[in-house]
Amino acid sequence: MAQDSPISQELHARGGPGARGEVVSVAWGVIRSVRPAQWVKNGFIFAPLFFAQKLSDSGRVVAASLAFAVFCAAASAVYLLNDIIDRDFDRHHPEKASRPIASGLVPVSVAAGLSLFLAVAALVGAFVLKVPLGLTVVFYLVLNVAYSLKLKEIVILDVFIVALGFVIRVFAGAIAIEVPASSWLLACTIFLALFLAVAMMSVRWLGATEPPASNPQKNPRRTTLRTRRFFLRAAAAALNPHIAPMIA
């Protein structure tokens, strides 16, 4: 007879008729925690495939798709780690308190184990595909671990790190299908990524009523003007990199 998974064993040990329902709840919490809706960001991996006009090359389409899967695993590993690190803060947040890890629905041990498994799977898969792709995933994971631990508290630097994540995806896509990433594609990606990153960060900064205790410099009033200028420059540069310096 096949043995139950560790999660099932732990929940069934609690007893009661609702144990099976708890297993389902934890499984759903795990799915929410890996944030599959955010995998759309990994679509940047397909940009080199599109702009190199290789969509009809089935071999390259498969290679890009495998790189996409690798980054989905790597990104989910980072999301889990971030939620583990932020769980105490999230418990006191009106919206984030319902996150599976913060609410206690998904045990930290389960989340940590899954995060490690996904990170290892992403690395192994990337190195099997191509060594340069594996090194790219290593850089992506190290950067995001540093971001989760400390760098996200530094104003503006956090924007560049989020934006860099999109650029890394484009590089990974180019490596996977063995085509060079053109300077035009990289320039547009960088500024489009800055535009998206500032848009996401501005919602967090300007929607907050109090600066984070760990970093009082993140006061919304101090960052509003800076954010608007940065947002406009990134938006303009995403359309035409040559006009960004013209925006004050």
Side-chain angles (χ1 to χ4, degrees):
M1 178 182 293
Q3 294 184 345
D4 290 338
S5 68
I7 298 176
S8 300
Q9 291 175 3
E10 177 181 347
L11 291 174
H12 282 298
R14 299 177 185 178
R20 186 172 297 277
E22 288 188 64
V23 173
V24 174
S25 296
V26 171
W28 177 242
V30 168
I31 293 173
R32 287 172 53 200
S33 296
V34 299
R35 303 181 194 175
Q38 297 295 323
W39 292 348
V40 68
K41 298 175 183 176
N42 297 323
F44 275 71
I45 288 172
F46 295 100
L49 184 72
F50 176 79
F51 288 105
Q53 300 180 358
K54 301 297 183 181
L55 290 173
S56 60
D57 188 329
S58 59
R60 285 189 165 96
V61 171
V62 170
S65 299
L66 291 174
F68 175 85
V70 162
F71 266 82
C72 287
S76 290
V78 171
Y79 292 140
L80 287 164
L81 175 63
N82 189 67
D83 283 357
I84 292 171
I85 294 172
D86 288 347
R87 66 187 185 280
D88 291 333
F89 172 81
D90 289 347
R91 289 189 185 113
H92 299 90
H93 191 281
E95 296 178 2
K96 298 179 180 180
S98 61
R99 287 182 173 179
I101 296 173
S103 65
L105 176 61
V106 175
V108 172
S109 59
V110 172
L114 181 57
S115 177
L116 179 61
F117 171 78
L118 290 172
V120 172
L123 288 169
V124 171
F127 275 107
V128 167
L129 291 172
K130 284 182 175 60
V131 171
L133 181 62
L135 295 175
T136 303
V137 173
V138 169
F139 178 67
Y140 174 84
L141 288 172
V142 170
L143 179 69
N144 279 278
V145 169
Y147 174 85
S148 296
L149 291 174
K150 186 65 178 177
L151 298 183
K152 64 183 177 182
E153 299 178 1
I154 304 175
V155 179
I156 299 300
L157 179 60
D158 57 350
V159 173
F160 278 101
I161 292 175
V162 171
L164 182 57
F166 291 98
V167 179
I168 292 173
R169 290 171 170 90
V170 172
F171 265 114
I175 291 171
I177 65 172
E178 299 180 335
V179 298
S182 68
S183 57
W184 174 85
L185 177 59
L186 290 177
C188 290
T189 300
I190 289 170
F191 289 113
L192 178 59
L194 284 172
F195 174 81
L196 295 173
V198 172
M200 290 187 293
M201 292 300 181
S202 63
V203 171
R204 298 180 191 175
W205 294 340
L206 303 180
T209 56
E210 297 290 340
S214 60
N215 188 359
Q217 293 299 316
K218 272 197 175 180
N219 190 307
R221 296 175 181 174
R222 296 180 182 179
T223 59
T224 300
L225 182 58
R226 182 166 36 184
T227 299
R228 287 176 179 172
R229 287 176 176 172
F230 203 6
F231 189 88
L232 288 172
R233 285 180 176 174
L239 298 174
N240 188 339
H242 297 292
I243 66 175
M246 298 169 58
I247 301 178

